[in-house]
């Protein structure tokens, strides 16, 4: 049984055929899908989906791209949303210094405010980090963000940073880029970190794995990430599915 630990099923890319997408996920052996918000509205949508579908869980938060939309009252609204029973974490939050769609200082403020929110709620966090490895890590350390654990989603850093993050209490999640031909560094990380700290995800509708690159991604395709990780670790895909699902349940504190 597989868990897609990071999907954006509320994205408009799925508005016409979500039931079919979920059916294909079921046929591919997916047990659960963690649906991740990126602003207030998409977080509320994720919660709605989690109410409607037993296999869907929600994560609520404001993405660094949308950090400029985070107001004091947004934190209060997220707090309310996060008290829904199937909200398993705060995210995705973090820093994106590649696209800089919100000013850097605004991103940092939003990241810290949402770490504090997660600590208040005793929830883990789901972190987005693009071209901001050092800055993300120093905020994590300073705010003791690992206290309630969390996930570094779609990990793209090098091995020493992954080890430091694990020491702080984080899990490392791999997405479609693990299957790409130029993924040498990521493959190296996936080959060396302990199997009890790894999650897998699609980040759909983005980042389709090989051989589906360029197409819309969907949760069923997490099986390609599992297969690639299995090849790297010399395990069966079933073993990888079991271990990564167990890890996801552990970090998101899902008991069934
Ligand atoms: Ni995402």
């Amino acid at each position: 049984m597989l868990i897609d630990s990071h999907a954006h099923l509320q994205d408009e890319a799925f508005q016409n055929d979500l039931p079919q997408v979920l059916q294909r996920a079921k046929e591919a052996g997916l047990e659960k899908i963690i649906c991740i918000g990126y602003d207030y509205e998409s977080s509320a949508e994720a919660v709605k989906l989690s109410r409607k579908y037993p296999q869907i869980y929600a994560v609520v938060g404001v993405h660094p791209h949308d950090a400029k939309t985070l107001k004091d009252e947004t934190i209060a609204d997220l707090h309310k949303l996060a008290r829904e029973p199937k909200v398993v974490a705060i995210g995705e939050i973090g820093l994106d210094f590649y696209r800089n769609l919100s000013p850097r200082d605004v991103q940092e403020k939003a990241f810290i405010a949402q770490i504090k929110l997660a600590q208040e709620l005793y929830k883990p966090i789901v972190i987005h980090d693009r071209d901001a490895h050092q800055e993300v890590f120093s905020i994590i350390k300073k705010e003791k963000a690992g206290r309630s654990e969390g996930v570094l989603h779609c990990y793209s850093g090098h091995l020493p940073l992954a080890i430091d993050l694990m020491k702080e209490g984080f899990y490392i999640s791999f997405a479609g880029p693990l299957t790409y031909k130029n993924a040498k560094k990521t493959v190296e990380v996936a080959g060396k970190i302990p199997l009890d700290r790894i999650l897998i995800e699609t980040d759909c509708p983005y980042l389709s794995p090989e051989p589906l690159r360029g197409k819309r991604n969907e949760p069923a395709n997490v099986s390609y990430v599992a297969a690639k990780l299995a090849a790297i670790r010399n395990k069966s895909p079933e073993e990888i599915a079991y271990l990564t699902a167990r890890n996801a349940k552990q970090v998101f504190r899902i008991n069934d």
Side-chain angles (χ1 to χ4, degrees):
M1 288 298 243
L2 287 156
I3 292 183
D4 181 355
S5 71
H6 192 116
H8 301 289
L9 294 174
Q10 73 279 56
D11 190 282
E12 60 183 11
F14 297 114
Q15 70 183 4
N16 294 325
D17 65 345
L18 185 60
Q20 290 92 311
V21 167
L22 292 176
Q23 182 56 32
R24 285 194 291 274
K26 194 173 162 198
E27 286 159 13
L30 268 81
E31 179 191 346
K32 299 183 193 308
I33 301 166
I34 315 295
C35 183
I36 314 273
Y38 40 89
D39 59 7
Y40 179 75
E41 285 70 31
S42 60
S43 297
E45 285 301 316
V47 170
K48 259 192 213 161
L49 291 175
S50 76
R51 285 198 199 119
K52 185 166 177 191
Y53 297 101
Q55 73 274 40
I56 295 179
Y57 291 75
V59 170
V60 302
V62 175
H63 191 288
H65 289 342
D66 300 291
K68 52 185 182 293
T69 70
L70 187 95
K71 310 271 184 288
D72 288 346
E73 55 271 26
T74 321
I75 291 284
D77 292 342
L78 288 171
H79 193 289
K80 238 177 264 163
L81 265 189
R83 294 170 69 169
E84 290 262 341
K86 286 175 81 189
V87 172
V88 293
I90 300 299
E92 56 183 293
I93 62 176
L95 303 175
D96 192 313
F97 290 176
Y98 178 72
R99 294 185 67 194
N100 290 305
L101 296 185
S102 288
R104 292 184 176 194
D105 60 320
V106 174
Q107 291 188 39
E108 285 171 359
K109 245 181 92 180
F111 186 26
I112 293 168
Q114 293 180 95
I115 289 171
K116 291 189 191 303
L117 173 66
Q119 287 171 336
E120 215 179 297
L121 293 160
Y122 300 101
K123 301 250 187 227
I125 55 179
V126 175
I127 297 182
H128 171 104
D129 161 20
R130 191 150 183 214
D131 285 2
H133 301 325
Q134 283 322 315
E135 293 85 351
V136 163
F137 187 69
S138 68
I139 289 177
I140 284 172
K141 281 246 1 151
K142 192 154 166 255
E143 300 298 324
K144 300 188 169 56
R147 224 166 34 189
S148 50
E149 302 191 321
V151 181
L152 252 290
H153 121 81
C154 193
Y155 190 70
S156 61
H158 48 55
L159 183 62
L161 179 65
I163 292 168
D164 286 343
L165 287 163
M166 288 185 289
K167 276 191 207 143
E168 290 297 313
F170 286 90
Y171 290 68
I172 306 292
S173 181
F174 296 101
L178 186 66
T179 67
Y180 299 170
K181 293 204 168 48
N182 61 357
K184 244 180 100 181
K185 183 175 70 176
T186 312
V187 166
E188 190 210 338
V189 178
K192 291 201 171 138
I193 63 179
L195 278 170
D196 62 358
R197 303 303 281 188
I198 300 180
L199 269 56
I200 53 175
E201 61 170 289
T202 58
D203 200 19
C204 64
Y206 315 106
L207 298 178
S208 278
E210 290 289 358
L212 306 168
R213 262 183 108 165
K215 300 204 177 105
R216 181 188 71 171
N217 200 4
E218 61 179 61
N221 299 336
V222 79
S223 59
Y224 291 95
V225 183
K228 176 71 185 198
L229 185 59
I232 295 168
R233 300 303 293 245
N234 204 12
K235 301 264 180 211
S236 70
E238 292 73 23
E239 253 176 302
I240 290 296
Y242 170 78
L243 290 169
T244 54
R246 189 197 61 186
N247 299 341
K249 287 181 193 176
Q250 179 120 22
V251 65
F252 293 127
R253 297 158 202 158
I254 298 171
N255 293 320
D256 55 338

